[in-house]
Amino acid sequence: MSDMAMQQVILRKQSPTGLSSNETAEKLGRAGAVVVDQKASSLLVEGDEETIRSVTKGLTGWITIPMKRYSVPDARKKVG
């Protein structure tokens, strides 16, 4: 097992002059990140935080949005 911090990031295309989602997904895949979901103008990517940061830093026309996870509170009444 590795102790790398896995992170999920949404990449959203902001400019028509940037790389296509297929080209961007290939670039991320070669770096070791996994594309979980792919649309024409967005990607959901999972991988090592440093890997994702180094690849997305050089992408023009794409913005990076880190995924946040929230836990649902337990709404059941406690008896006792």
Side-chain angles (χ1 to χ4, degrees), residues 13-35:
K13 190 171 184 175
Q14 292 291 314
S15 170
T17 60
L19 294 175
S20 72
S21 64
N22 287 336
E23 293 169 323
T24 304
E26 284 180 26
K27 192 172 189 176
L28 288 160
R30 284 193 302 265
V34 177
V35 176

Side-chain angles (χ1 to χ4, degrees), residues 24 27-28 31 50-59:
T24 304
K27 192 172 189 176
L28 288 160
E50 289 300 318
T51 301
I52 293 173
R53 185 178 295 130
S54 68
V55 174
T56 57
K57 184 172 41 173
L59 292 176

Side-chain angles (χ1 to χ4, degrees), residues 7-77:
Q7 179 180 14
Q8 284 191 336
V9 172
I10 298 171
L11 294 176
R12 187 168 279 300
K13 190 171 184 175
Q14 292 291 314
S15 170
T17 60
L19 294 175
S20 72
S21 64
N22 287 336
E23 293 169 323
T24 304
E26 284 180 26
K27 192 172 189 176
L28 288 160
R30 284 193 302 265
V34 177
V35 176
V36 179
D37 191 22
Q38 181 176 349
K39 305 277 192 258
S41 62
S42 64
L43 298 168
L44 175 59
V45 180
E46 183 176 75
D48 175 52
E49 187 175 346
E50 289 300 318
T51 301
I52 293 173
R53 185 178 295 130
S54 68
V55 174
T56 57
K57 184 172 41 173
L59 292 176
T60 54
W62 290 82
I63 63 167
T64 305
I65 306 163
M67 287 282 291
K68 294 185 180 185
R69 297 198 182 263
Y70 299 96
S71 58
V72 178
D74 184 9
R76 294 179 284 178
K77 292 185 178 182

